[in-house]
Amino acid sequence: MVDGNRDAIARAIDADFGGRPWQETELLEIVPLLGAIRNTSRHLRRWMHDERRDVALPFQPGSAWVRHEPLGVIGIISPWNYPLFLSLGPLVDALAAGNRAMIKPSELTPRFSELLKRMVSDHFDADLIAVETGGVEVAQAFSALPFDHLIFTGSTSVGRKVMQAAASNLTPVTLELGGKSPAVLAPDYSLDKAARSIVLGKFTNAGQTCIAPDYVLIPAGQTDAFAHKIMSRLETAYPAAGSEGGYSNIITTGHRTRLTEAVEEARNAGATILRPSGDYGTKFPPTLVVNAPEECLLLRDEIFGPVLPIVTYETLEEALSFISRRARPLSMYVFTNNRRTAKTILDGAISGGVTLNGTLLHVAQDDLPFGGVGASGMGAYHGRHGFRRMSHARSIFKPGFLNAFEFLGPPFGKLADIAIRILGR
Ligand code: NAD
């Protein structure tokens, strides 16, 4: 279904964004989704095997095992920023585990959502997979359905509402949320290489990526040089961003206004704003913000756009404390070639996932669990972790030919006394 509709998918998303390069849709949605399907098809038989478990001495010679069973019907609520990957990625895991699913895609990508509905109804029975389109009211009604599991990808604030709605049905949830994912540069690391990784992670999809580096922590004294490297990398990466469409648009004027206001707030508070010289036409240009005060919106809320604050630090402890004063982020990017420094940073700040000396790539590893921690979410999926998340691990015990436990009583006698004395030691 996906392979046969690649062009239509890229065109629909491009139209919904008012400009998104088809290469971004291929590289960040279609390719990883097909990879996930391939990985799951290859390994599913093994993941499904019953798992033998240890049996303690008093229950020998019994046997114990875990059987992975479908949960039932999985609800999937997805956001607009990667509308294909974040609706069908969870679906791969849900179907692999033997479930049926209902998907509620975002109202902010109406062309894609209609295409998804059509594709799914052309390829699957409605009682196996159903797509429900609509706005917030439909989303609210959807999250109140008595699913056997609900996987929600979106903002932390809506995640709270979804969990509340699910609670009334005792529906377990997986929440894939957002947050302020930091990139930390240690003094030893090449600014050139870090700038390349950060430009890719931050400005792809115009920063509208849940795991994009939200801000960068830089050792004092390296800010100007780093800003310069970012600028020159941007000029190489997006030579004709506005006209050729190599650079994405912001999804709505509302989102754009929020970004403009946040940058203006920082400027008025004394921050320096830097932008590359390229022609970005009507698109929101990549923006560096240096020395914004900590209480600015840009350093408080998730940015979710092509605006990169640079925050300087004197000591690593100071950098770690800056991260820890904020809610637990979805991702963290650590740039250092020194193993001790990497360990200090990993030990000193919590995040859902990490890429070392790069950005974004932990999400692309089929065998790593993907998910947040604290305010950035709960529960992880992808590959075998997703299979497990959407399965019920059913415990099964079978006594052996001799079921010693049953000889202990009642009525309780000497044997029970001996067993209590020996086993209770
Ligand atoms: P959003 O929370 O506004 O919307 C997500 C979905 O929730 C949409 O389908 C929407 O219709 C639905 N929804 C809206 N109100 C609802 C309600 N009251 N009850 C139930 N459902 C409701 O998020 P968004 O703007 O589409 O996406 C951006 C956010 O998503 C960012 O915070 C980003 O970090 C996060 N995100 C996280 C991941 C991840 O994998 N962790 C991936 C992408 C985006």
Side-chain angles (χ1 to χ4, degrees):
M1 179 183 88
V2 173
D3 195 31
N5 284 284
R6 297 173 97 119
D7 291 346
I9 291 167
R11 273 202 308 276
I13 296 177
D14 181 26
D16 282 334
F17 273 71
R20 183 165 100 170
W22 65 268
Q23 296 93 331
E24 285 191 352
T25 299
E26 276 285 339
L27 285 172
L28 292 140
E29 303 219 57
I30 296 175
V31 170
L33 179 62
L34 295 177
I37 295 170
R38 213 173 295 122
N39 177 61
T40 298
S41 314
R42 194 172 296 151
H43 299 294
L44 183 58
R45 193 174 290 279
R46 185 159 49 84
W47 299 339
M48 287 170 63
H49 280 165
D50 291 352
E51 283 172 22
R52 221 149 252 295
R53 292 299 161 89
D54 290 345
V55 174
L57 197 60
F59 307 104
Q60 292 284 5
S63 45
W65 69 97
V66 171
R67 189 171 189 260
H68 300 288
E69 298 187 346
L71 287 170
V73 182
I74 310 289
I76 299 170
I77 302 181
S78 55
W80 51 266
N81 63 330
Y82 291 98
L84 176 78
F85 187 56
L86 297 173
S87 51
L88 298 194
L91 180 71
V92 173
D93 297 356
L95 292 184
N99 301 290
R100 297 162 189 243
M102 287 173 69
I103 305 173
K104 156 64 184 84
S106 171
E107 63 279 16
L108 296 188
T109 48
R111 294 169 190 84
F112 170 78
S113 298
E114 281 311 317
L115 173 65
L116 180 69
K117 190 171 178 163
R118 212 167 48 241
M119 288 191 307
V120 165
S121 69
D122 285 350
H123 287 80
F124 297 92
D125 289 341
D127 67 351
L128 179 61
I129 311 172
V131 176
E132 300 300 331
T133 53
V136 173
E137 274 172 26
V138 172
Q140 281 168 333
F142 190 92
S143 61
L145 293 175
F147 290 113
D148 296 292
H149 190 100
L150 181 56
I151 171 158
F152 168 81
T153 306
S155 57
T156 299
S157 56
V158 175
R160 281 199 179 91
K161 296 181 189 164
V162 167
M163 194 168 172
Q164 264 166 6
S168 60
N169 298 311
L170 287 182
T171 293
V173 289
T174 296
L175 300 179
E176 300 289 338
L177 312 176
K180 293 190 79 60
S181 299
V184 189
L185 259 80
D188 68 279
Y189 200 77
S190 151
L191 292 182
D192 230 6
K193 282 164 86 178
R196 194 185 177 99
S197 298
I198 289 170
V199 164
L200 177 82
K202 180 71 182 189
F203 299 105
T204 294
N205 204 22
Q208 301 164 110
T209 303
C210 54
I211 52 167
D214 188 274
Y215 62 96
V216 191
L217 286 155
I218 294 272
Q222 295 193 6
T223 307
D224 290 350
F226 180 70
H228 180 77
K229 297 280 185 201
I230 293 268
M231 285 300 149
S232 63
R233 181 67 205 143
L234 279 169
E235 278 156 23
T236 316
Y238 302 111
S243 47
E244 260 180 29
Y247 177 75
S248 275
N249 202 8
I250 301 298
I251 189 76
T252 68
T253 44
H255 287 74
R256 199 190 161 92
T257 306
R258 177 182 63 83
L259 290 168
T260 307
E261 287 174 0
V263 171
E264 284 319 303
E265 183 206 33
R267 191 200 300 275
N268 293 336
T272 307
I273 311 298
L274 301 168
R275 283 179 166 143
S277 56
D279 168 22
Y280 286 82
T282 55
K283 292 181 180 158
F284 195 102
T287 304
L288 282 195
V289 179
V290 184
N291 289 335
E294 205 179 323
E295 57 284 1
C296 279
L297 272 180
L298 287 177
L299 292 179
R300 284 204 332 257
D301 294 349
E302 179 183 21
I303 296 172
F304 218 61
V307 179
L308 182 67
I310 300 184
V311 178
T312 54
Y313 68 86
E314 297 285 341
T315 63
L316 222 42
E317 290 66 40
E318 195 185 317
L320 294 173
S321 142
F322 189 91
I323 299 171
S324 304
R325 284 201 295 281
R326 285 157 182 75
R328 291 177 178 171
L330 184 57
S331 305
M332 184 163 77
Y333 302 106
V334 179
F335 294 89
T336 180
N337 288 317
N338 182 316
R339 288 172 73 163
R340 292 246 307 264
T341 308
K343 182 173 180 332
T344 306
I345 299 173
L346 290 181
D347 287 350
I350 294 169
S351 71
V354 176
T355 296
L356 297 175
N357 298 344
T359 54
L360 310 186
L361 294 179
H362 61 285
V363 71
Q365 309 312 310
D366 289 325
D367 207 20
L368 285 180
F370 178 74
V373 58
S376 58
M378 64 183 68
Y381 71 121
H382 285 192
R384 63 172 140 161
H385 306 279
F387 170 80
R388 290 262 168 111
R389 185 84 188 153
M390 306 212 193
S391 298
H392 168 55
R394 195 173 189 188
S395 308
I396 305 179
F397 177 71
K398 182 171 181 241
F401 63 93
L402 178 74
N403 186 352
F405 207 80
E406 286 179 0
F407 287 106
L408 299 181
F412 298 115
K414 269 222 159 62
L415 207 54
D417 293 348
I418 296 169
I420 290 167
R421 231 176 307 124
I422 296 175
L423 301 178
R425 262 206 299 251

